[in-house]
Amino acid sequence: MISVAIDGPAGVGKSTAAKAVAKKLGYIYVDTGALYRAIGLFASERNIGTTDAAGISAKLHEIRIKLDYLDGVQRVFLNGRDVSDDIRKPEMGMAASNVSAIPKVRDFLLDLQRDMAAGQNVVMDGRDIGTVVLPGAKVKIYLTASAEARAKRRFEEHVAKGEQVSYNDILTEIKQRDYNDMNRSIAPLKQAGDAVLIDNTGWTCKETADQIMKIIEEKTV
C-alpha cells in the first residue's frame, strides 16, 4: 500500500491538490483538517470555548466523526449529521487550529487517521501527517506559499461563495494560524526531514497537482 502525506500551512491548497491527485491515481483522499474542524464545530455549537482543553476533552466520548464518499466527493459526518458545509465557514479555521493544540484531541483522532490509511492507498493532507500520523509514508511533501498568496486564495474562495469577508482579516488570521500551528507544544507544523518542499506561490491548482504527481511517480517507481 502507498501513502502520500502532504503537509503545509493554511490556505496553501493542500486539499485541492490532494483531491486532484487522489482522483487521478484512484487513491482514497483523507482531509485530516476536516476532522479538527468538526471537533471545533462540535465545541462551538455547545458553547465550549475552542481553547478550553478540559471542557473539550471531557466531551470527546460524545463525538463520532465519519468520512464518507458520495459521488467521489468526501463528506464529513458529525454524530450522523453531514457538516461538510458548516465546517468550511471562515471561523472554523481558527477553531480547528485551537482544538488541534489540545493533546487529548490529537490522541483521539490519531488512531482514526491511521486506520484510514491501513490497507489502502491514500493521499492524506494536514499539518503533521509526515511527521506524526504517517511517519513511514512512501511519499512526503511539504507544500507552502507566501501568506499573502494564501490569503488571496482564501478570499477569492469565500467571495465565490457569496460570503462577505475582508482580505486583511483573512491575512491576519492566516498569520495567526501559522504562528499557532508552528509553535504549539504537540505535533507542531514543520517539514519532515525526508519531505520534498514545494513553494506554490503564484502557481495554479493544476500546476501544483502536476508537480505533486511528478514527485509521486519518481518516489514510487
Side-chain angles (χ1 to χ4, degrees):
M1 295 296 102
I2 295 174
S3 294
V4 178
I6 302 177
D7 290 308
V12 77
K14 297 185 301 293
S15 297
T16 302
K19 277 187 262 189
V21 168
K23 184 175 182 179
K24 190 167 184 177
L25 292 171
Y27 289 10
I28 296 297
Y29 164 62
V30 180
D31 173 9
T32 62
L35 305 176
Y36 289 100
R37 284 172 176 263
I39 291 181
L41 177 66
F42 175 91
S44 297
E45 290 183 339
R46 284 157 181 76
N47 297 314
I48 303 171
T50 55
T51 58
D52 181 355
I56 293 174
S57 296
K59 294 291 184 178
L60 289 175
H61 69 282
E62 298 180 12
I63 298 175
R64 298 291 180 273
I65 302 174
K66 180 182 178 182
L67 298 184
D68 209 344
Y69 297 86
L70 305 177
D71 297 324
V73 177
Q74 178 182 277
R75 305 297 293 179
V76 183
F77 292 84
L78 173 62
N79 293 337
R81 168 178 147 229
D82 188 341
V83 295
S84 306
D85 296 327
D86 293 335
I87 64 173
R88 296 302 169 187
K89 293 178 180 177
E91 62 271 21
M92 286 300 104
M94 189 57 72
S97 182
N98 289 340
V99 301
S100 71
I102 300 173
K104 287 188 178 179
V105 170
R106 301 199 74 86
D107 289 343
F108 176 74
L109 292 178
L110 184 58
D111 287 342
L112 174 61
Q113 293 171 85
R114 287 179 172 167
D115 286 346
M116 291 176 182
Q120 58 189 351
N121 296 323
V122 299
V123 177
M124 186 178 292
D125 72 81
R127 286 169 175 72
D128 65 343
I129 310 305
T131 53
V132 177
V133 180
L134 301 177
K138 182 79 170 179
V139 183
K140 297 181 186 178
I141 292 167
Y142 189 85
L143 191 61
T144 190
S146 70
E148 291 73 17
R150 290 182 280 131
K152 182 173 182 290
R153 292 169 187 167
R154 278 283 166 88
F155 175 76
E156 291 173 346
E157 287 173 2
H158 290 306
V159 169
K161 295 176 182 177
E163 298 171 352
Q164 296 294 320
V165 292
S166 160
Y167 166 80
N168 287 331
D169 286 348
I170 292 174
L171 178 60
T172 297
E173 180 181 319
I174 277 182
K175 288 180 176 179
Q176 184 63 52
R177 285 198 66 187
D178 286 352
Y179 179 83
N180 291 352
D181 293 342
M182 293 176 181
N183 291 279
R184 64 189 179 215
S185 59
I186 181 171
L189 168 65
K190 63 181 179 179
Q191 181 180 344
D194 54 347
V196 178
L197 176 66
I198 298 176
D199 186 326
N200 71 355
T201 301
W203 289 18
T204 65
C205 295
K206 184 178 185 303
E207 288 171 333
T208 300
D210 287 347
Q211 182 61 25
I212 292 174
M213 281 295 303
K214 181 180 178 182
I215 292 169
I216 294 173
E217 289 166 359
E218 292 172 352
K219 295 282 188 179
T220 58
V221 170

